[in-house]
Amino acid sequence: MSLTTLPTELLLTITTNFHPEETASLALTCHTLLHKLGATSFSLQSPQKYNLLRLASKDGIYPHLIVCPLCHVFHTPFPLDWWRRAVGDQISMRLCETSWHSNKSESWDTIEIISPELPPQTHFNMVAAVMRCHRFGWPGFGPEVLNSGDRVEIGGWRIHRYHDFGIRGGHLLLKAERLVWLKEGENLAEAVEILSKAVAEKKGWKFEAFCGHLMWARDVGVLKGGCVAGWEGGIMEGECGECNRDHGKEIGRVKTCGKCYTDYAVAFVDMPDGKGKVCVLTTWKDLGSGERLESPEWRSHLRVKPPPPSAARQGSPPSVYLAWDSFAVVAKEGKAGTDMSPGYDPLIRPQRLETLTQQ
């Protein structure tokens, strides 16, 4: 006996244990069940209609669309200003597109679909599209569509920024690298001091914060202006006279933000042919599975009020970095017991190092 052969009374009794959107989804499976459950199955309130669309999305309908969590309809993941340029059509602005541009007119305290701590192309709808294509094996949106790079000069120092996206364990991860070229013969202590001052003064580029809780020049001792006096020969050795921390041991070690799904590291690599050093500032972020706007990974990067619950990662291994780099091994050393900060030796793509030296 199957569902379609059950007596109508028994079928209706079973569906009393369903959520309304689940009953409507069942009615859509075939004409027989639609007839038995009746048109009243589709008398849904607005939240239930949205949940029904989410259920339909999991079945794989409309491959190149997503269910927008703000508009509560299927539409393209691109913001409409992109779409207008593509099709040349004048379409009224969507609710989610209004949020895309909200940083110009509203407070970040109410915005859930984008974050000032993420690259502008990392809209939640784009995250959802990439992850939906991944789950169903569709070619429409791969994580590489979000990759980006740019460069700027701050305080006389050239900085290149790269964003690389990848999928690990059903989650979309972001690796962001900031490369600062220190030419041969340049004093590293002076470079770090100028960079930290430029960062503090926010000279024309959002560089100072790498998540909603930590800042390079405020929370990372290697880049603190007051801590650079101890730099000698390019490496700080022993305890810093400013904060009593051994910054030399912080270089090339991956740390964790205890409040969001962000890991970070500062490292230095040698340029080929003795052209100096490159200071590499790296962050890794877990953006979640793209299925729910309420995902704790996604919400941890927002500035909404009230703030999302803390990720409670203080003292834990840097799981985002470890997920990105499957070859990473958590180091176990130190007199106090296990050190949960694995070592990080950046492998910068040769073309990126070459680009650093180009005018």
Side-chain angles (χ1 to χ4, degrees), residues 259-310:
K259 297 182 179 180
C260 71
Y261 288 85
T262 299
D263 297 333
Y264 62 96
V266 178
F268 292 87
V269 299
D270 293 322
M271 288 284 283
D273 303 324
K275 293 181 180 179
K277 288 182 177 290
V278 178
C279 177
V280 185
L281 312 180
T282 310
T283 59
W284 298 264
K285 294 178 182 287
D286 187 343
L287 306 180
S289 63
E291 294 183 275
R292 299 184 301 114
L293 199 58
E294 303 81 17
S295 161
E297 293 83 8
W298 174 260
R299 290 187 66 81
S300 75
H301 304 298
L302 304 180
R303 292 189 182 179
V304 291
K305 300 293 184 182
S310 171

Side-chain angles (χ1 to χ4, degrees), residues 169-229:
H171 284 208
L172 183 65
L173 306 186
L174 161 63
K175 178 183 179 180
E177 283 183 334
R178 291 166 173 82
L179 309 182
V180 186
W181 179 32
L182 310 174
K183 300 177 184 178
E184 184 180 7
E186 289 180 340
N187 184 279
L188 188 58
E190 180 185 353
V192 173
E193 185 172 17
I194 292 176
L195 179 61
S196 64
K197 288 180 179 179
V199 166
E201 294 171 3
K202 305 178 183 179
K203 289 190 175 180
W205 198 49
K206 182 173 176 51
F207 180 80
E208 72 282 358
F210 57 86
C211 76
H213 314 96
L214 299 174
M215 301 172 66
W216 290 113
R218 184 192 68 191
D219 301 297
V220 181
V222 176
L223 296 178
K224 284 185 178 180
C227 297
V228 299

Side-chain angles (χ1 to χ4, degrees), residues 77-189:
F78 294 113
L80 273 179
D81 53 352
W82 296 2
W83 190 245
R84 288 191 191 98
R85 289 196 293 268
V87 302
D89 192 12
Q90 294 300 317
I91 313 172
S92 60
M93 185 173 286
R94 298 190 196 115
L95 179 60
C96 60
E97 187 183 18
T98 303
S99 294
W100 182 287
H101 300 288
S102 60
N103 58 318
K104 299 177 182 178
S105 58
E106 298 181 24
S107 169
W108 287 108
D109 294 353
T110 61
I111 307 304
E112 297 182 302
I113 206 163
I114 49 175
S115 168
E117 317 306 338
L118 300 174
Q121 71 271 26
T122 318
H123 190 288
F124 179 81
N125 283 348
M126 288 300 298
V127 175
V130 169
M131 294 308 299
R132 190 165 185 245
C133 286
H134 172 73
R135 284 191 292 272
F136 287 100
W138 297 330
F141 297 95
E144 66 279 355
V145 303
L146 296 173
N147 292 350
S148 65
D150 55 16
R151 78 175 191 175
V152 73
E153 290 194 11
I154 299 180
W157 304 98
R158 185 180 302 166
I159 301 172
H160 287 231
R161 180 176 65 173
Y162 297 97
H163 296 120
D164 297 303
F165 293 79
I167 298 174
R168 306 288 192 277
H171 284 208
L172 183 65
L173 306 186
L174 161 63
K175 178 183 179 180
E177 283 183 334
R178 291 166 173 82
L179 309 182
V180 186
W181 179 32
L182 310 174
K183 300 177 184 178
E184 184 180 7
E186 289 180 340
N187 184 279
L188 188 58

Side-chain angles (χ1 to χ4, degrees), residues 162 271-272 347-358:
Y162 297 97
M271 288 284 283
L347 297 176
I348 310 300
R349 299 177 187 177
Q351 59 269 33
R352 292 185 177 178
L353 291 177
E354 183 180 348
T355 304
L356 278 172
T357 63
Q358 296 174 354

